[in-house]
Amino acid sequence: MAKHASPKKTMSTRTQMLLTGALTITLGFAVTIGVLSWQSSNEQKSLAENYLQQIAQSQALQIQHELSYARDVAHNLGHSLIALPAAGIQDRKVADKLMESALRDNPDYLSISVIFEENAFDGRDAEFATQANAAPKGRYAFFVDRDQTGNFNLHPLTSIFTPGQGDYYLLPQKKSERYAD
C-alpha cells in the first residue's frame, strides 16, 4: 500500500488579501471606537466636574449672600436700637416694634432676638426687673416670633443664663472675658 499524500489546501492569494484587509479594518474600527469611547468618557467626566463645580460655586455665592444679608439685618437692627436712647426715646415698646418690623420684613426668619448687657440699653433695668414677662434682671433681652396665624409675639429670653439653653450667649461671653483678662 502506498501512502497517498493529500495535497495541502492553501488559500489563494486573493482570499488571504481579503481576510487580511477585513481583519485590519475590523481591528482599526475596534481601536478607533475604543479610543473615541475613552476620550468621550474623559470629556464627559470633565464636563460633569465643571458643571458640579459651577453649581457648588453658585450655591456658595447664594449662601454667602443670605448670610451677608442676615448680618446686615442684625447690624442695622442693633444700631437702630442703640440709637433710640441716644435720641431720647426711652419707651421699650418702640424697640419691640423695631424687632417686629425686622421680622416682618424677613418672612424666612423664624425669630429675631436681642440681648443687651445690664443697663446698656436705657439704664432702666431696675424699673423692669419686677414686672411680669421681664427678662432676667430687667435687662432688654427679648425675641420676637410669629405664631401659626402670623401674629407677632414678644418673649423674654429667660434662659440666657442657663447652661446648655443659653450657650449662644454664655459661651461668647466667657470667651470675651478671657480675652479681657
Side-chain angles (χ1 to χ4, degrees), residues 128-168:
F128 295 94
T130 58
Q131 291 184 4
N133 244 4
K137 301 180 183 180
R139 62 173 44 189
Y140 192 83
F142 291 92
F143 74 95
V144 65
D145 63 5
R146 65 178 77 73
D147 60 21
Q148 293 179 353
T149 61
N151 296 318
F152 295 95
N153 299 307
L154 189 73
H155 310 276
L157 287 166
T158 56
S159 64
I160 59 175
F161 297 117
T162 305
Q165 287 183 328
D167 283 353
Y168 64 93

Side-chain angles (χ1 to χ4, degrees), residues 3-19:
K3 279 190 173 180
H4 186 303
S6 63
K8 285 189 177 180
K9 292 187 179 180
T10 58
M11 283 192 247
S12 68
T13 306
R14 181 177 184 183
T15 305
Q16 288 178 352
M17 292 292 283
L18 284 174
L19 187 59

